[in-house]
Amino acid sequence: MANSMGITGYDYVEFYVGSAKMAAYWHVNALGMNLTGYCGSETGIKDRVSYYLTQNNLKFVITSFVKPSTHKISHFVSSHGGGVKRWAVNVDNVEDSFTKAVTNGAIPVSVPEKLEDEHGYVEEAALQIYDDTELMLVNNKHYNGLFRPGFQKYQGDIEWHHKNPGLQSIDHIVGNVRQNEMNRWVDYFNKTMDFETSLSFGPGDISTKYSALLSTVVQTKDGIIKNPINEPYEGIKISQIEEYVREYEGTGIQHIALATEDIIASVRSLRYNGIEFLEIPDAYYDKLTQQNAALPEDQKIMEDIEELREFGVLCDLEGKGYLLQLFTKPIGDRPTFFFEVIERKRGAQGFGQGNFQALFDSIEREQARRGNLDRN
Ligand code: FE2
């Protein structure tokens, strides 16, 4: 079923950081992005710098402030420590989508606007999501420049070295909110943007020995955009979602899942490039080997389980299909935003429910190392 907002897919994600050049260097040399464009004083933009990075269908913008120190980007960075400021979707008609969403209760951040240069024009508008994040509605069908007005090819002379991980596109973007806020945001996406709830994990579904969380997945009715929302739930110790909200100083984007068509090759390159992933205990793979042995031939895992073990890739069996995934450690200074790498096999639709225990045990071990698991 088509979505009535006219959303056709993800466009780009913009991060606000303390030093765009250094963060761009990490995204290029570790995550394997290409340095495609640049916007800054050389292109007529004086107050900020942005690097436009691409890889297959992935588009990231890494932005930092230059001056003045009271700039809204510096406010974002000083309170959140860097993170996702906005994620953009392509829509057929920005004005229509914006009006529909706002009429149904969406919070407007910027009204529809036309950005023009000699390559055409881009139309965009922004809606608020979570505390300080924006969902952008973008129509760039009438623009044939590099990315959008203000951006030019990067003119630097830095030589970039990395192994290409072959990351393809955004699979899903996840938000973290405070206790008792999840249903409010579920309603917000469903009522104002015509999303629908596709999965919901209640009390007891996602918990470790010590802590717990609630999670609901809202998505466009055609499934193009999948947006899980997590909320902390009471446990003996501090939920990883509570740690996020505390350390991020607010609610926002927890992780972006990047789809690949060959997760072993991708993770081999990403590890070579220096990306750190969560550690998965050996016992997980002993159990997976046993589970796989019991499956009928047409449902078996096609990958070598010893390779999954070597690279720390998790596997969730899901009917005839299965899902391969792993999480990086937080990429910045605070234990907040991280990336997931994901490969869906034979039509798997889930989010790795069967891996929650192993993943969250692993996150808790990291949380304990930071001294953020115990309540006192
Ligand atoms: Fe995920």
Side-chain angles (χ1 to χ4, degrees):
M1 193 198 286
N3 59 75
S4 67
M5 281 283 281
I7 297 172
T8 55
Y10 290 103
D11 188 15
Y12 69 91
V13 174
E14 183 166 9
F15 298 82
Y16 279 178
V17 299
S19 169
K21 186 169 189 173
M22 294 177 78
Y25 189 89
W26 182 91
H27 280 82
V28 168
N29 282 305
L31 205 62
M33 305 297 291
N34 300 299
L35 180 46
T36 306
Y38 169 82
C39 143
S41 51
E42 295 86 344
T43 73
I45 307 291
K46 299 290 182 196
D47 67 334
R48 63 186 191 276
V49 169
S50 293
Y51 289 81
Y52 173 51
L53 310 175
T54 58
Q55 180 172 179
N56 298 309
N57 294 314
L58 288 174
K59 297 177 183 177
F60 290 165
V61 181
I62 313 278
T63 297
S64 188
F65 58 96
V66 179
K67 56 188 174 184
S69 58
T70 52
H71 200 286
K72 61 187 178 191
I73 302 171
S74 74
H75 277 298
F76 183 97
V77 172
S78 66
S79 62
H80 305 307
V84 174
K85 173 59 186 174
R86 52 181 64 88
W87 54 276
V89 293
N90 291 121
V91 295
D92 294 326
N93 185 312
V94 172
E95 186 82 45
D96 284 358
S97 302
F98 178 82
T99 304
K100 196 172 284 177
V102 171
T103 304
N104 288 316
I107 307 159
V109 178
S110 53
V111 297
E113 177 181 21
K114 200 172 181 179
L115 308 168
E116 249 176 310
D117 69 9
E118 67 273 26
H119 303 290
Y121 64 90
V122 173
E123 288 172 297
E124 64 172 31
L127 303 170
Q128 187 188 329
I129 54 173
Y130 315 126
D131 282 354
D132 199 9
T133 313
E134 294 170 13
L135 175 60
M136 302 292 294
L137 307 168
V138 176
N139 181 349
N140 53 16
K141 278 182 277 198
H142 306 283
Y143 192 72
N144 60 16
L146 188 68
F147 172 49
R148 55 198 276 122
F151 280 79
Q152 291 176 8
K153 259 187 97 145
Y154 184 65
Q155 299 294 335
D157 54 1
I158 300 167
E159 212 175 304
W160 307 96
H161 299 282
H162 63 264
K163 278 199 179 175
N164 179 5
L167 301 170
Q168 298 295 326
S169 55
I170 292 173
D171 184 274
H172 60 271
I173 298 179
V174 181
N176 279 351
V177 300
R178 296 175 193 84
Q179 198 162 5
N180 297 323
E181 284 185 352
M182 184 177 73
N183 289 337
R184 182 188 146 206
W185 288 106
V186 166
D187 285 348
Y188 183 84
F189 279 97
N190 290 352
K191 283 183 187 149
T192 72
M193 284 172 256
D194 197 30
F195 282 40
E196 63 182 3
T197 299
S198 59
L199 270 174
S200 199
F201 302 98
D205 290 337
I206 313 173
S207 60
T208 66
K209 203 164 81 186
Y210 299 124
S211 72
L213 62 92
L214 308 176
S215 190
T216 294
V217 182
V218 292
Q219 60 179 49
T220 52
K221 286 176 179 157
D222 53 10
I224 288 178
I225 305 295
K226 298 188 193 79
N227 182 51
I229 303 168
N230 298 324
E231 167 181 316
Y233 191 67
E234 291 148 36
I236 302 168
K237 299 192 176 184
I238 297 171
S239 166
Q240 52 161 306
I241 311 303
E242 196 178 329
E243 184 198 34
Y244 173 99
V245 172
R246 197 176 72 185
E247 299 293 318
Y248 190 71
E249 294 189 10
T251 62
I253 303 303
Q254 180 206 39
H255 75 267
I256 299 176
L258 306 173
T260 168
E261 290 161 1
D262 184 348
I263 200 164
I264 296 287
S266 294
V267 175
R268 183 185 277 123
S269 296
L270 292 169
R271 284 188 183 275
Y272 174 89
N273 293 346
I275 292 205
E276 291 182 290
F277 292 95
L278 290 180
E279 288 143 28
I280 306 303
D282 259 354
Y284 174 90
Y285 296 97
D286 299 341
K287 192 172 154 207
L288 184 64
T289 305
Q290 285 171 8
Q291 285 174 325
N292 191 47
L295 288 175
E297 275 315 308
D298 65 339
Q299 290 181 29
K300 282 197 196 302
I301 301 167
M302 290 185 277
E303 288 70 16
D304 177 358
I305 294 178
E306 290 314 304
E307 272 200 318
L308 299 182
R309 187 196 300 264
E310 182 186 346
F311 292 105
V313 175
L314 295 155
C315 177
D316 189 25
L317 303 166
E318 196 188 280
K320 286 201 185 309
Y322 61 97
L323 181 148
L324 300 163
Q325 66 182 162
L326 77 171
F327 288 2
T328 71
K329 291 187 179 177
I331 67 165
D333 302 317
R334 301 190 200 181
T336 53
F337 179 82
F338 60 87
F339 284 109
E340 173 182 353
V341 183
I342 188 167
E343 183 179 2
R344 297 180 181 277
K345 304 296 287 249
R346 296 195 291 252
Q349 291 293 317
F351 295 86
Q353 294 87 301
N355 292 328
F356 284 169
Q357 189 73 44
L359 276 171
F360 298 143
D361 281 345
S362 180
I363 290 173
E364 272 183 11
R365 284 193 293 276
E366 298 285 322
Q367 217 179 315
R369 272 181 214 158
R370 295 190 281 264
N372 285 348
L373 187 59
D374 286 306
R375 288 209 176 271
N376 42 38

